[in-house]
Amino acid sequence: MSFFINNEFKKIKSKYELYTPKQLISDAGIKLLQFELDDVTGGFTVTNNRCSTIVINSNWDKNYLNFVILHEYAHIRLHDGASTPFYRHTGTDINIPKMEREANELAMTLLIGMQDRDEIMLLTKYQITDYLGISEKLSEFITS
């Protein structure tokens, strides 16, 4: 894990309890809205006047949306709310922009940090993604 991502994770962990993605963003003062979006769009973030709202696709699987929420939260923390317009299923391609890679890494680190440490420690990267109910392609963002 890069120093940048690790440092941000430590800041978040020292300020907030890591229970669930929804609880984390609520504690951080970020609003969450759910709407029916197109099939490939998981969510996006709207930030203005230092207030942020994460919008997620109400049609997507809850487990996958946990990752999407944390991915969007990572953009707020790492990139001052700037991000590509949407988190899409196609965002797991090989040529991932640096900003998206960083958001995926921090999201995965946070999501793993919300799990039972004793259970997670016994799993491989691929078993972790299965355990979390998300795509195996996201295993490349598991860095520790």
Side-chain angles (χ1 to χ4, degrees):
M1 175 181 334
S2 73
F3 175 78
F4 178 54
I5 302 299
N6 189 45
N7 191 43
E8 195 60 36
F9 174 72
K10 286 179 182 177
K11 287 180 191 175
I12 294 166
K13 193 173 177 181
S14 71
K15 188 171 182 178
Y16 304 107
E17 294 290 330
L18 298 181
Y19 294 121
T20 68
K22 288 182 179 180
Q23 184 65 46
L24 174 61
I25 65 166
S26 175
D27 291 350
I30 298 167
K31 297 212 183 313
L32 179 68
L33 299 174
Q34 295 186 52
F35 289 107
E36 288 186 22
L37 303 173
D38 64 66
D39 291 342
V40 296
T41 304
F44 59 94
T45 302
V46 177
T47 301
N48 63 30
N49 296 329
R50 299 174 56 133
C51 295
S52 296
T53 301
I54 295 173
V55 179
I56 58 173
N57 190 336
S58 60
N59 293 324
W60 275 28
D61 177 74
K62 177 188 172 238
N63 292 325
Y64 217 97
L65 286 176
N66 284 333
F67 179 80
V68 172
I69 290 167
L70 293 174
H71 173 91
E72 296 302 330
Y73 175 69
H75 278 304
I76 293 167
R77 292 294 303 219
L78 299 171
H79 310 123
D80 294 325
S83 69
T84 55
F86 303 101
Y87 178 82
R88 297 177 180 265
H89 276 300
T90 56
T92 57
D93 292 337
I94 291 180
N95 297 319
I96 300 170
K98 182 180 178 190
M99 227 169 53
E100 292 303 303
R101 180 169 293 284
E102 289 172 344
N104 284 346
E105 246 184 76
L106 182 55
M108 188 61 72
T109 303
L110 288 166
L111 191 55
I112 289 170
M114 293 175 179
Q115 309 307 310
D116 181 317
R117 182 171 167 78
D118 292 334
E119 285 187 38
I120 289 288
M121 294 300 291
L122 300 174
L123 304 175
T124 67
K125 288 181 176 188
Y126 303 105
Q127 290 171 323
I128 290 172
T129 55
D130 187 51
Y131 176 85
L132 296 172
I134 58 177
S135 171
E136 187 178 285
K137 292 179 181 179
L138 294 169
S139 65
E140 76 174 278
F141 302 107
I142 299 172
T143 56
S144 57

